[in-house]
Amino acid sequence: MMMYNQALEAHPYFILVKNRTKVGNHLMGSAISRNQWGTNLKLFEFEAKQILAKHGVKVPRSVLLVKEEKEAAIEKIKDAGLEPPVVVKSQVLVAGRGKAGGIKIAKTWEEVKGFVEELFDKPIKGLKPRYLLIEEAIPHDQELYASIIIDRSERKPVILASQYGGMDIEEIAKEKPESIVKMYVDPFLGLKTYQARKIGKTIGLKGKILNSFASFLMGMYNVFMEYDADLIESNPLAITGEAVIPLDARLIIDDNSLYRHREIEERNLEDTGEYTEWEIKARKIGLAFVELDGDIGIIGNGAGLTMTTMDLVYLYGGKPANFLDIGGGASKDLVKTAVRFLIEFPKTKKIFMNIFGGITRGDEVARGIVAALEEIGGSPKPLVIRLSGTNEEEGRRILEENGITAFTDPIEAVKKVVSL
C-alpha cells in the first residue's frame, strides 16, 4: 500500500497541503495523509490518452511500439502516417520521465532509430519500458497544467489548473502557490460548463482557447468519474493555435472499482514493470502483498496492525521482507494460503505472524496455520506467532497440540523473531 501512493504524494495538491499554503480564499490544512488512500492502479500514458480520445478529447497522433517490434520500428511509424519531427516517449509508470531522459524529440529518421534503441534499453527510475509511444511533435505557444484529484477530507473531487505547466510544476506549487487555481466539484451535480470556463478565465484564457480548455476539462472530468479515478492529470497541456491539446496524460484508478472496468483489470501486470514477480503471484491468488528488502516475513490482520508490526521489527533491529495483510475476518483457507506463500517466498528467512482478533477468530487462524504446515510437512523456516483476541484460547490450544507456542505480548514476539 505504501509504495502505491508515492505518485499521489508528488502531486502539486499534496505539496500545497503539506506546506499549509493559502490558495485563493482557502487555507489548505494537512488533513489528507497517505494512509487515507486505498491502493490504486496507474495507467500508461498511451492508455490514458486512448480513454480521453474515446471521450471526445483531441490527442496527438501517435503509434505504440512494443519492444519485440524494435527492429521494425521505422516501418511501423511510417505506416501510421507519422514522420519527423516526432516525440519518442518511454512508457513507464513513474512521474518525471522528462527529467530522467525518458522523452526525446527526434528530427530525423536516424534520430528516431537511435532514440528507439536507446529508450528501450534505458531504465527510468529503475523501470525498463516494454512500450514506447511515438507522437507527432506539436508546435505550441504555451504550456498549461490541469488535473483532478479526490480530496477525501472534503469528500469531493478538486480541480487544479495553472497557467504554468511543464516539468517544473512541483517547484511552481512550492514557490508560486497562488498561480494554481483550485475548485471543488459537487459529485452529485458534476462539473458544469460555466465552472470549467471560470477556471480557464482565472488562468488567463479567453476566446476560442477558453472554449477549447473548457471542453477539455469537461472531457477530463467525465473520464475521472466514469473510471473511478484517484487522479487524472495533463502536464503539459499545450496551447496550439486556438485550441489546447494534452501532450501528456496520467490516469490513476482506485483498484477497488476494477470489477467495473474489466478491460483494465485483465491487463498483463508483467507489462507494467511496476510489480515484482512475487507481487504479481500474490495478486493472482488474492493476497495484499508488497515486497520489501529485508528477511523477516510479516503477516498481519489489518493494514494498520501490519504496518505497526513492520515498525516494531525495524525498531528492534530487524528488516521486514514484505507487507502481507490478511484483513479482518480471515478464513482458514486464506491464512493457509498466506503462510504457504511466505514459506515459499525466497526472501524470507523467518516469519512473524501478528494477529489481534476482533472479527478475526484465533481458532480459524490457528487451523489455517496448521493446515499450511501439514501440507508441506512442517515449516522449513522459523515461525513466530503472536495471537490474542477473539477465540484466542481455542487458537492457542490448536497450536499447542501441533507443537507451536503463541506469544501474547507483541514486543516479546518481535524480540524473539529478530533474535533468531
Side-chain angles (χ1 to χ4, degrees):
M1 285 174 62
M2 293 181 291
M3 297 194 304
Y4 298 152
N5 296 291
Q6 292 169 351
L8 292 175
E9 289 199 335
H11 189 271
Y13 180 73
F14 290 100
I15 294 172
L16 295 172
V17 168
K18 289 175 183 176
N19 292 342
R20 299 183 63 83
T21 304
K22 196 169 185 179
V23 180
N25 296 319
H26 300 275
L27 182 67
M28 298 168 64
S30 55
I32 299 177
S33 69
R34 171 184 290 182
N35 293 337
Q36 286 175 281
W37 292 89
T39 56
N40 47 64
L41 181 71
K42 303 173 194 172
L43 300 192
F44 288 111
E45 174 192 4
F46 73 86
E47 293 175 307
K49 285 181 173 174
Q50 286 171 354
I51 291 171
L52 284 168
K54 288 178 183 177
H55 285 74
V57 174
K58 182 181 178 182
V59 298
R61 292 186 301 124
S62 65
V63 63
L64 186 68
L65 299 182
V66 182
K67 192 167 188 175
E68 293 79 5
E69 302 171 335
K70 182 167 64 173
E71 299 304 320
I74 299 298
E75 181 180 350
K76 188 169 182 181
I77 295 168
K78 288 180 178 179
D79 288 345
L82 297 176
E83 59 182 34
V86 294
V87 186
V88 185
K89 309 175 84 171
S90 181
Q91 298 295 285
V92 288
L93 296 173
V94 295
R97 290 173 303 160
K99 289 183 178 179
I103 299 176
K104 304 286 188 180
I105 298 178
K107 299 178 181 178
T108 66
W109 286 116
E110 289 75 14
E111 287 185 342
V112 172
K113 183 179 179 181
F115 289 147
V116 166
E117 292 178 354
E118 175 187 342
L119 292 186
F120 268 132
D121 293 328
K122 182 182 180 68
I124 305 297
K125 299 185 179 181
L127 299 179
K128 273 192 176 182
R130 182 166 184 246
Y131 303 109
L132 296 182
L133 184 64
I134 313 298
E135 284 189 338
E136 61 177 330
I138 304 288
H140 52 281
D141 307 313
Q142 184 181 348
E143 293 181 346
L144 308 174
Y145 173 86
S147 72
I148 307 172
I149 197 164
I150 292 287
D151 183 336
R152 294 188 186 270
S153 66
E154 295 290 335
R155 301 181 181 183
K156 294 178 181 178
V158 58
I159 298 174
L160 280 83
S162 176
Q163 61 183 307
Y164 304 110
M167 290 191 294
D168 297 320
I169 186 64
E170 290 83 6
E171 293 303 316
I172 291 169
K174 293 176 183 177
E175 297 172 7
K176 296 181 179 179
E178 70 283 352
S179 71
I180 297 180
V181 176
K182 175 174 72 90
M183 177 183 286
Y184 286 104
V185 180
D186 186 322
F188 295 103
L189 299 178
L191 179 66
K192 304 300 182 182
T193 303
Y194 78 88
Q195 293 173 308
R197 290 178 61 83
K198 182 178 179 180
I199 293 171
K201 287 181 179 179
T202 306
I203 62 173
L205 305 182
K206 56 185 179 181
K208 292 183 178 180
I209 294 175
L210 173 60
N211 294 338
S212 176
F213 175 83
S215 295
F216 169 78
L217 210 57
M218 296 295 292
M220 190 163 74
Y221 181 81
N222 291 337
V223 169
F224 183 84
M225 296 302 291
E226 182 175 326
Y227 281 84
D228 303 291
D230 281 338
L231 165 72
I232 187 167
E233 177 182 79
S234 178
N235 183 38
L237 176 64
I239 296 178
T240 173
E242 296 181 332
V244 299
I245 188 167
L247 300 189
D248 192 12
R250 295 174 67 201
L251 182 59
I252 300 178
I253 295 172
D254 183 340
D255 70 2
N256 290 305
S257 72
L258 287 181
Y259 70 94
R260 294 202 291 236
H261 310 293
R262 295 298 185 189
E263 75 285 1
I264 295 173
E265 184 180 34
E266 293 168 2
R267 72 207 287 247
N268 191 343
L269 292 178
E270 286 88 347
D271 289 348
T272 69
E274 188 178 28
Y275 302 98
T276 68
E277 173 190 356
W278 284 86
E279 286 171 340
I280 292 169
K281 287 181 179 180
R283 288 175 71 97
K284 288 179 178 178
I285 59 175
L287 295 178
F289 173 85
V290 177
E291 184 173 337
L292 301 173
D293 295 326
D295 62 357
I296 300 178
I298 304 293
I299 299 176
N301 62 309
L305 178 62
T306 308
M307 287 190 283
T308 300
T309 304
M310 292 164 58
D311 288 341
L312 286 172
V313 169
Y314 276 120
L315 181 64
Y316 286 96
K319 290 185 177 180
N322 68 280
F323 167 100
L324 200 170
D325 170 22
I326 59 174
S331 67
K332 167 189 167 181
D333 288 341
L334 178 58
V335 174
K336 180 181 73 172
T337 299
V339 172
R340 286 207 57 166
F341 183 83
L342 279 198
I343 289 173
E344 295 169 3
F345 181 44
K347 281 190 176 180
T348 56
K349 306 304 179 188
K350 42 200 172 181
I351 298 170
F352 178 37
M353 291 189 68
N354 190 9
I355 304 297
F356 185 82
I359 59 174
T360 301
R361 290 168 38 194
D363 57 326
E364 192 77 359
V365 171
R367 290 187 180 95
I369 295 169
V370 170
L373 299 182
E374 286 178 347
E375 281 190 3
I376 59 177
S379 176
K381 302 175 181 180
L383 176 62
V384 176
I385 301 165
R386 179 265 181 143
L387 180 65
S388 63
T390 304
N391 289 4
E392 69 173 277
E393 294 83 4
E394 177 66 9
R396 288 177 182 283
R397 185 190 65 76
I398 293 169
L399 292 173
E400 287 171 0
E401 288 177 353
N402 289 272
I404 302 170
T405 300
F407 287 82
T408 301
D409 186 337
I411 303 300
E412 290 181 7
V414 168
K415 289 180 178 177
K416 177 65 176 178
V417 75
V418 171
S419 68
L420 293 173

Short mmCIF file of all heavy atoms in Angstrom, two decimals, residues 264-320:
data_model
loop_
_atom_site.label_atom_id
_atom_site.label_comp_id
_atom_site.label_asym_id
_atom_site.label_seq_id
_atom_site.Cartn_x
_atom_site.Cartn_y
_atom_site.Cartn_z
N ILE A 264 -9.47 -3.15 -17.96
CA ILE A 264 -8.26 -2.70 -17.27
C ILE A 264 -7.79 -3.76 -16.29
O ILE A 264 -6.59 -4.03 -16.18
CB ILE A 264 -8.52 -1.37 -16.54
CG1 ILE A 264 -8.81 -0.27 -17.57
CG2 ILE A 264 -7.34 -0.98 -15.67
CD1 ILE A 264 -9.25 1.04 -16.96
N GLU A 265 -8.72 -4.40 -15.60
CA GLU A 265 -8.37 -5.42 -14.62
C GLU A 265 -7.61 -6.57 -15.28
O GLU A 265 -6.71 -7.18 -14.67
CB GLU A 265 -9.63 -5.95 -13.95
CG GLU A 265 -9.35 -6.97 -12.85
CD GLU A 265 -10.63 -7.48 -12.21
OE1 GLU A 265 -11.64 -7.60 -12.92
OE2 GLU A 265 -10.61 -7.74 -11.01
N GLU A 266 -7.95 -6.87 -16.53
CA GLU A 266 -7.37 -8.03 -17.20
C GLU A 266 -6.06 -7.71 -17.92
O GLU A 266 -5.48 -8.59 -18.55
CB GLU A 266 -8.38 -8.59 -18.20
CG GLU A 266 -9.60 -9.20 -17.52
CD GLU A 266 -10.74 -9.51 -18.47
OE1 GLU A 266 -10.55 -9.27 -19.68
OE2 GLU A 266 -11.80 -9.96 -18.01
N ARG A 267 -5.56 -6.47 -17.80
CA ARG A 267 -4.28 -6.14 -18.43
C ARG A 267 -3.16 -6.98 -17.81
O ARG A 267 -3.25 -7.42 -16.67
CB ARG A 267 -3.97 -4.64 -18.28
CG ARG A 267 -3.60 -4.23 -16.88
CD ARG A 267 -3.94 -2.78 -16.60
NE ARG A 267 -3.06 -1.85 -17.26
CZ ARG A 267 -2.20 -1.06 -16.61
NH1 ARG A 267 -2.09 -1.13 -15.30
NH2 ARG A 267 -1.47 -0.20 -17.26
N ASN A 268 -2.12 -7.18 -18.55
CA ASN A 268 -1.00 -8.01 -18.12
C ASN A 268 -0.13 -7.23 -17.14
O ASN A 268 0.52 -6.26 -17.50
CB ASN A 268 -0.17 -8.41 -19.35
CG ASN A 268 0.85 -9.48 -19.02
OD1 ASN A 268 1.17 -9.70 -17.86
ND2 ASN A 268 1.36 -10.12 -20.05
N LEU A 269 -0.11 -7.68 -15.88
CA LEU A 269 0.65 -6.96 -14.86
C LEU A 269 2.14 -6.97 -15.14
O LEU A 269 2.86 -6.04 -14.77
CB LEU A 269 0.38 -7.57 -13.48
CG LEU A 269 -1.04 -7.39 -12.93
CD1 LEU A 269 -1.16 -8.10 -11.58
CD2 LEU A 269 -1.37 -5.91 -12.77
N GLU A 270 2.63 -8.03 -15.81
CA GLU A 270 4.06 -8.07 -16.14
C GLU A 270 4.45 -6.90 -17.03
O GLU A 270 5.58 -6.41 -16.96
CB GLU A 270 4.41 -9.40 -16.83
CG GLU A 270 4.43 -10.61 -15.90
CD GLU A 270 3.07 -11.27 -15.75
OE1 GLU A 270 2.06 -10.65 -16.15
OE2 GLU A 270 3.02 -12.40 -15.23
N ASP A 271 3.52 -6.45 -17.88
CA ASP A 271 3.83 -5.37 -18.81
C ASP A 271 4.02 -4.02 -18.11
O ASP A 271 4.64 -3.12 -18.66
CB ASP A 271 2.71 -5.22 -19.85
CG ASP A 271 2.69 -6.38 -20.83
OD1 ASP A 271 3.65 -7.17 -20.84
OD2 ASP A 271 1.70 -6.50 -21.57
N THR A 272 3.45 -3.87 -16.92
CA THR A 272 3.53 -2.57 -16.26
C THR A 272 4.92 -2.26 -15.76
O THR A 272 5.30 -1.10 -15.62
CB THR A 272 2.56 -2.50 -15.07
OG1 THR A 272 3.02 -3.37 -14.02
CG2 THR A 272 1.15 -2.89 -15.49
N GLY A 273 5.70 -3.29 -15.43
CA GLY A 273 7.03 -3.07 -14.88
C GLY A 273 7.00 -2.56 -13.45
O GLY A 273 8.04 -2.31 -12.87
N GLU A 274 5.79 -2.42 -12.88
CA GLU A 274 5.68 -1.82 -11.55
C GLU A 274 5.68 -2.86 -10.44
O GLU A 274 6.02 -2.55 -9.30
CB GLU A 274 4.38 -1.00 -11.48
CG GLU A 274 4.26 -0.18 -10.21
CD GLU A 274 3.00 0.66 -10.18
OE1 GLU A 274 2.01 0.26 -10.80
OE2 GLU A 274 3.02 1.71 -9.55
N TYR A 275 5.31 -4.09 -10.76
CA TYR A 275 5.18 -5.12 -9.75
C TYR A 275 6.30 -6.15 -9.91
O TYR A 275 6.71 -6.49 -11.00
CB TYR A 275 3.82 -5.82 -9.87
CG TYR A 275 2.65 -4.90 -9.74
CD1 TYR A 275 1.99 -4.40 -10.86
CD2 TYR A 275 2.21 -4.49 -8.48
CE1 TYR A 275 0.91 -3.54 -10.73
CE2 TYR A 275 1.14 -3.63 -8.34
CZ TYR A 275 0.49 -3.17 -9.47
OH TYR A 275 -0.56 -2.30 -9.34
N THR A 276 6.76 -6.68 -8.77
CA THR A 276 7.74 -7.74 -8.81
C THR A 276 7.06 -9.06 -9.15
O THR A 276 5.83 -9.18 -9.11
CB THR A 276 8.46 -7.89 -7.46
OG1 THR A 276 7.52 -8.39 -6.49
CG2 THR A 276 9.02 -6.55 -6.97
N GLU A 277 7.87 -10.05 -9.45
CA GLU A 277 7.33 -11.38 -9.78
C GLU A 277 6.44 -11.90 -8.66
O GLU A 277 5.36 -12.45 -8.90
CB GLU A 277 8.50 -12.35 -10.01
CG GLU A 277 8.09 -13.78 -10.20
CD GLU A 277 9.27 -14.74 -10.19
OE1 GLU A 277 10.42 -14.27 -10.11
OE2 GLU A 277 9.03 -15.96 -10.25
N TRP A 278 6.86 -11.71 -7.40
CA TRP A 278 6.10 -12.25 -6.28
C TRP A 278 4.88 -11.40 -5.95
O TRP A 278 3.87 -11.92 -5.47
CB TRP A 278 7.01 -12.42 -5.07
CG TRP A 278 7.87 -13.63 -5.24
CD1 TRP A 278 9.06 -13.70 -5.90
CD2 TRP A 278 7.56 -14.96 -4.83
NE1 TRP A 278 9.52 -15.00 -5.92
CE2 TRP A 278 8.62 -15.79 -5.27
CE3 TRP A 278 6.50 -15.53 -4.14
CZ2 TRP A 278 8.64 -17.16 -5.01
CZ3 TRP A 278 6.51 -16.91 -3.89
CH2 TRP A 278 7.57 -17.71 -4.32
N GLU A 279 4.93 -10.11 -6.23
CA GLU A 279 3.73 -9.28 -6.07
C GLU A 279 2.65 -9.68 -7.07
O GLU A 279 1.46 -9.69 -6.74
CB GLU A 279 4.10 -7.80 -6.22
CG GLU A 279 4.85 -7.24 -5.02
CD GLU A 279 5.40 -5.85 -5.25
OE1 GLU A 279 5.54 -5.44 -6.43
OE2 GLU A 279 5.70 -5.17 -4.26
N ILE A 280 3.07 -10.03 -8.27
CA ILE A 280 2.11 -10.48 -9.28
C ILE A 280 1.50 -11.82 -8.87
O ILE A 280 0.29 -12.03 -8.97
CB ILE A 280 2.79 -10.58 -10.66
CG1 ILE A 280 3.15 -9.17 -11.16
CG2 ILE A 280 1.89 -11.29 -11.66
CD1 ILE A 280 4.05 -9.17 -12.37
N LYS A 281 2.34 -12.74 -8.39
CA LYS A 281 1.83 -14.03 -7.92
C LYS A 281 0.82 -13.82 -6.80
O LYS A 281 -0.22 -14.49 -6.76
CB LYS A 281 2.99 -14.89 -7.41
CG LYS A 281 3.88 -15.47 -8.50
CD LYS A 281 4.98 -16.33 -7.89
CE LYS A 281 5.87 -16.94 -8.97
NZ LYS A 281 6.95 -17.78 -8.38
N ALA A 282 1.12 -12.91 -5.87
CA ALA A 282 0.24 -12.66 -4.74
C ALA A 282 -1.11 -12.12 -5.19
O ALA A 282 -2.17 -12.55 -4.70
CB ALA A 282 0.90 -11.69 -3.75
N ARG A 283 -1.09 -11.17 -6.12
CA ARG A 283 -2.35 -10.59 -6.61
C ARG A 283 -3.22 -11.66 -7.27
O ARG A 283 -4.44 -11.66 -7.13
CB ARG A 283 -2.06 -9.46 -7.61
CG ARG A 283 -1.52 -8.20 -6.96
CD ARG A 283 -1.14 -7.16 -8.01
NE ARG A 283 -2.29 -6.59 -8.66
CZ ARG A 283 -2.85 -5.44 -8.32
NH1 ARG A 283 -2.38 -4.75 -7.30
NH2 ARG A 283 -3.89 -4.98 -8.99
N LYS A 284 -2.58 -12.59 -7.97
CA LYS A 284 -3.34 -13.62 -8.67
C LYS A 284 -4.03 -14.58 -7.71
O LYS A 284 -5.03 -15.22 -8.09
CB LYS A 284 -2.42 -14.39 -9.63
CG LYS A 284 -2.02 -13.56 -10.85
CD LYS A 284 -1.09 -14.34 -11.77
CE LYS A 284 -0.74 -13.51 -13.00
NZ LYS A 284 0.22 -14.22 -13.90
N ILE A 285 -3.52 -14.72 -6.48
CA ILE A 285 -4.16 -15.62 -5.51
C ILE A 285 -4.87 -14.84 -4.41
O ILE A 285 -5.26 -15.40 -3.39
CB ILE A 285 -3.15 -16.61 -4.90
CG1 ILE A 285 -2.00 -15.88 -4.18
CG2 ILE A 285 -2.62 -17.55 -5.97
CD1 ILE A 285 -1.05 -16.83 -3.47
N GLY A 286 -5.04 -13.51 -4.62
CA GLY A 286 -5.87 -12.72 -3.74
C GLY A 286 -5.21 -12.22 -2.47
O GLY A 286 -5.90 -11.91 -1.49
N LEU A 287 -3.89 -12.11 -2.45
CA LEU A 287 -3.18 -11.63 -1.26
C LEU A 287 -2.76 -10.17 -1.43
O LEU A 287 -2.31 -9.77 -2.51
CB LEU A 287 -1.93 -12.47 -1.00
CG LEU A 287 -2.16 -13.95 -0.63
CD1 LEU A 287 -0.83 -14.65 -0.44
CD2 LEU A 287 -3.03 -14.09 0.61
N ALA A 288 -2.92 -9.39 -0.35
CA ALA A 288 -2.46 -8.00 -0.34
C ALA A 288 -1.01 -8.00 0.12
O ALA A 288 -0.70 -8.02 1.31
CB ALA A 288 -3.32 -7.16 0.61
N PHE A 289 -0.10 -7.99 -0.84
CA PHE A 289 1.32 -8.25 -0.58
C PHE A 289 2.18 -7.20 -1.26
O PHE A 289 1.97 -6.88 -2.43
CB PHE A 289 1.68 -9.65 -1.11
CG PHE A 289 3.13 -10.01 -1.07
CD1 PHE A 289 3.70 -10.53 0.08
CD2 PHE A 289 3.94 -9.83 -2.19
CE1 PHE A 289 5.05 -10.88 0.11
CE2 PHE A 289 5.28 -10.18 -2.17
CZ PHE A 289 5.84 -10.70 -1.01
N VAL A 290 3.17 -6.68 -0.52
CA VAL A 290 4.17 -5.77 -1.09
C VAL A 290 5.54 -6.31 -0.71
O VAL A 290 5.81 -6.58 0.47
CB VAL A 290 4.00 -4.33 -0.56
CG1 VAL A 290 5.11 -3.43 -1.12
CG2 VAL A 290 2.64 -3.78 -0.92
N GLU A 291 6.40 -6.45 -1.69
CA GLU A 291 7.74 -6.97 -1.45
C GLU A 291 8.67 -5.87 -0.96
O GLU A 291 8.68 -4.76 -1.48
CB GLU A 291 8.30 -7.58 -2.74
CG GLU A 291 9.66 -8.22 -2.58
CD GLU A 291 10.11 -8.96 -3.83
OE1 GLU A 291 9.23 -9.35 -4.65
OE2 GLU A 291 11.33 -9.14 -4.00
N LEU A 292 9.46 -6.18 0.07
CA LEU A 292 10.44 -5.24 0.63
C LEU A 292 11.82 -5.88 0.59
O LEU A 292 12.01 -6.91 -0.06
CB LEU A 292 10.03 -4.87 2.06
CG LEU A 292 8.63 -4.22 2.19
CD1 LEU A 292 8.25 -4.04 3.65
CD2 LEU A 292 8.59 -2.88 1.46
N ASP A 293 12.78 -5.29 1.29
CA ASP A 293 14.18 -5.69 1.12
C ASP A 293 14.75 -6.51 2.26
O ASP A 293 15.92 -6.90 2.21
CB ASP A 293 15.06 -4.45 0.90
CG ASP A 293 14.72 -3.72 -0.38
OD1 ASP A 293 14.36 -4.41 -1.35
OD2 ASP A 293 14.81 -2.49 -0.41
N GLY A 294 13.98 -6.78 3.32
CA GLY A 294 14.53 -7.49 4.47
C GLY A 294 14.40 -8.99 4.36
O GLY A 294 14.23 -9.55 3.27
N ASP A 295 14.47 -9.68 5.53
CA ASP A 295 14.43 -11.14 5.53
C ASP A 295 13.40 -11.71 6.51
O ASP A 295 13.32 -12.92 6.67
CB ASP A 295 15.81 -11.71 5.84
CG ASP A 295 16.33 -11.33 7.23
OD1 ASP A 295 15.64 -10.56 7.93
OD2 ASP A 295 17.42 -11.80 7.60
N ILE A 296 12.62 -10.84 7.18
CA ILE A 296 11.59 -11.32 8.10
C ILE A 296 10.23 -11.18 7.44
O ILE A 296 9.76 -10.08 7.17
CB ILE A 296 11.61 -10.53 9.43
CG1 ILE A 296 12.98 -10.67 10.12
CG2 ILE A 296 10.50 -11.00 10.36
CD1 ILE A 296 13.10 -9.88 11.40
N GLY A 297 9.59 -12.32 7.17
CA GLY A 297 8.27 -12.30 6.58
C GLY A 297 7.23 -11.82 7.58
O GLY A 297 7.26 -12.22 8.74
N ILE A 298 6.33 -10.95 7.14
CA ILE A 298 5.34 -10.34 8.02
C ILE A 298 3.93 -10.69 7.54
O ILE A 298 3.61 -10.49 6.37
CB ILE A 298 5.47 -8.80 8.06
CG1 ILE A 298 6.89 -8.38 8.47
CG2 ILE A 298 4.42 -8.19 8.98
CD1 ILE A 298 7.25 -8.71 9.88
N ILE A 299 3.11 -11.21 8.47
CA ILE A 299 1.68 -11.40 8.21
C ILE A 299 0.92 -10.73 9.34
O ILE A 299 1.21 -10.96 10.52
CB ILE A 299 1.29 -12.88 8.15
CG1 ILE A 299 2.02 -13.60 7.01
CG2 ILE A 299 -0.23 -13.02 7.95
CD1 ILE A 299 1.75 -15.10 6.96
N GLY A 300 -0.04 -9.89 9.01
CA GLY A 300 -0.89 -9.25 10.00
C GLY A 300 -2.33 -9.23 9.53
O GLY A 300 -2.60 -9.50 8.36
N ASN A 301 -3.23 -8.94 10.44
CA ASN A 301 -4.63 -8.81 10.03
C ASN A 301 -5.07 -7.37 10.18
O ASN A 301 -5.26 -6.87 11.28
CB ASN A 301 -5.54 -9.76 10.82
CG ASN A 301 -5.54 -9.50 12.31
OD1 ASN A 301 -4.49 -9.40 12.93
ND2 ASN A 301 -6.73 -9.38 12.90
N GLY A 302 -5.17 -6.70 9.06
CA GLY A 302 -5.47 -5.27 9.02
C GLY A 302 -4.23 -4.50 8.64
O GLY A 302 -3.13 -4.78 9.13
N ALA A 303 -4.41 -3.51 7.77
CA ALA A 303 -3.24 -2.75 7.26
C ALA A 303 -2.53 -2.02 8.39
O ALA A 303 -1.30 -1.96 8.43
CB ALA A 303 -3.70 -1.78 6.18
N GLY A 304 -3.30 -1.41 9.30
CA GLY A 304 -2.68 -0.66 10.38
C GLY A 304 -1.82 -1.54 11.27
O GLY A 304 -0.67 -1.18 11.59
N LEU A 305 -2.36 -2.70 11.67
CA LEU A 305 -1.59 -3.62 12.51
C LEU A 305 -0.37 -4.15 11.76
O LEU A 305 0.72 -4.28 12.35
CB LEU A 305 -2.47 -4.79 12.95
CG LEU A 305 -1.78 -5.85 13.81
CD1 LEU A 305 -1.29 -5.25 15.12
CD2 LEU A 305 -2.71 -7.03 14.07
N THR A 306 -0.53 -4.44 10.49
CA THR A 306 0.60 -4.97 9.71
C THR A 306 1.72 -3.95 9.60
O THR A 306 2.90 -4.29 9.76
CB THR A 306 0.13 -5.42 8.32
OG1 THR A 306 -1.00 -6.30 8.45
CG2 THR A 306 1.23 -6.15 7.58
N MET A 307 1.36 -2.69 9.33
CA MET A 307 2.39 -1.65 9.25
C MET A 307 3.02 -1.39 10.62
O MET A 307 4.24 -1.16 10.72
CB MET A 307 1.81 -0.38 8.65
CG MET A 307 1.54 -0.51 7.16
SD MET A 307 1.11 1.04 6.35
CE MET A 307 -0.58 1.21 6.87
N THR A 308 2.23 -1.44 11.69
CA THR A 308 2.78 -1.29 13.03
C THR A 308 3.75 -2.43 13.34
O THR A 308 4.81 -2.22 13.96
CB THR A 308 1.65 -1.26 14.07
OG1 THR A 308 0.78 -0.17 13.79
CG2 THR A 308 2.20 -1.11 15.48
N THR A 309 3.40 -3.63 12.91
CA THR A 309 4.28 -4.78 13.09
C THR A 309 5.61 -4.56 12.38
O THR A 309 6.69 -4.86 12.92
CB THR A 309 3.59 -6.05 12.55
OG1 THR A 309 2.33 -6.22 13.21
CG2 THR A 309 4.45 -7.28 12.78
N MET A 310 5.54 -4.03 11.18
CA MET A 310 6.78 -3.73 10.45
C MET A 310 7.62 -2.71 11.20
O MET A 310 8.85 -2.85 11.31
CB MET A 310 6.43 -3.22 9.04
CG MET A 310 5.80 -4.28 8.14
SD MET A 310 4.98 -3.57 6.70
CE MET A 310 6.32 -2.69 5.94
N ASP A 311 6.96 -1.70 11.75
CA ASP A 311 7.69 -0.68 12.52
C ASP A 311 8.37 -1.29 13.74
O ASP A 311 9.50 -0.94 14.07
CB ASP A 311 6.73 0.43 12.96
CG ASP A 311 6.27 1.32 11.82
OD1 ASP A 311 6.95 1.32 10.77
OD2 ASP A 311 5.25 1.99 11.97
N LEU A 312 7.67 -2.20 14.43
CA LEU A 312 8.26 -2.86 15.59
C LEU A 312 9.47 -3.69 15.21
O LEU A 312 10.48 -3.72 15.91
CB LEU A 312 7.21 -3.74 16.28
CG LEU A 312 6.12 -3.03 17.08
CD1 LEU A 312 5.06 -4.03 17.52
CD2 LEU A 312 6.71 -2.31 18.28
N VAL A 313 9.37 -4.39 14.08
CA VAL A 313 10.51 -5.18 13.61
C VAL A 313 11.71 -4.29 13.34
O VAL A 313 12.84 -4.59 13.76
CB VAL A 313 10.11 -5.99 12.35
CG1 VAL A 313 11.35 -6.60 11.69
CG2 VAL A 313 9.11 -7.08 12.71
N TYR A 314 11.48 -3.15 12.68
CA TYR A 314 12.57 -2.19 12.45
C TYR A 314 13.12 -1.68 13.78
O TYR A 314 14.33 -1.56 13.96
CB TYR A 314 12.06 -1.00 11.63
CG TYR A 314 12.06 -1.22 10.14
CD1 TYR A 314 10.87 -1.15 9.41
CD2 TYR A 314 13.24 -1.47 9.44
CE1 TYR A 314 10.86 -1.33 8.03
CE2 TYR A 314 13.24 -1.65 8.07
CZ TYR A 314 12.05 -1.58 7.37
OH TYR A 314 12.04 -1.77 6.01
N LEU A 315 12.23 -1.36 14.71
CA LEU A 315 12.64 -0.78 16.00
C LEU A 315 13.59 -1.69 16.76
O LEU A 315 14.54 -1.22 17.40
CB LEU A 315 11.39 -0.50 16.84
CG LEU A 315 11.63 0.12 18.23
CD1 LEU A 315 12.25 1.52 18.09
CD2 LEU A 315 10.32 0.20 19.00
N TYR A 316 13.34 -2.99 16.65
CA TYR A 316 14.17 -3.94 17.41
C TYR A 316 15.27 -4.57 16.56
O TYR A 316 15.83 -5.60 16.91
CB TYR A 316 13.28 -5.00 18.05
CG TYR A 316 12.51 -4.44 19.23
CD1 TYR A 316 11.21 -3.99 19.09
CD2 TYR A 316 13.12 -4.31 20.48
CE1 TYR A 316 10.52 -3.44 20.16
CE2 TYR A 316 12.44 -3.76 21.55
CZ TYR A 316 11.14 -3.33 21.39
OH TYR A 316 10.47 -2.77 22.46
N GLY A 317 15.59 -3.92 15.44
CA GLY A 317 16.78 -4.29 14.69
C GLY A 317 16.59 -5.25 13.53
O GLY A 317 17.56 -5.67 12.91
N GLY A 318 15.36 -5.60 13.21
CA GLY A 318 15.10 -6.48 12.08
C GLY A 318 14.71 -5.71 10.83
O GLY A 318 14.53 -4.49 10.86
N LYS A 319 14.57 -6.43 9.72
CA LYS A 319 14.15 -5.82 8.47
C LYS A 319 13.05 -6.66 7.82
O LYS A 319 13.28 -7.84 7.50
CB LYS A 319 15.33 -5.68 7.50
CG LYS A 319 16.36 -4.66 7.93
CD LYS A 319 17.44 -4.49 6.86
CE LYS A 319 18.45 -3.42 7.25
NZ LYS A 319 19.50 -3.26 6.22
N PRO A 320 11.85 -6.09 7.64
CA PRO A 320 10.76 -6.84 7.02
C PRO A 320 11.07 -7.19 5.56
O PRO A 320 11.62 -6.37 4.82
CB PRO A 320 9.57 -5.89 7.10
CG PRO A 320 9.92 -4.91 8.18
CD PRO A 320 11.41 -4.77 8.10
#
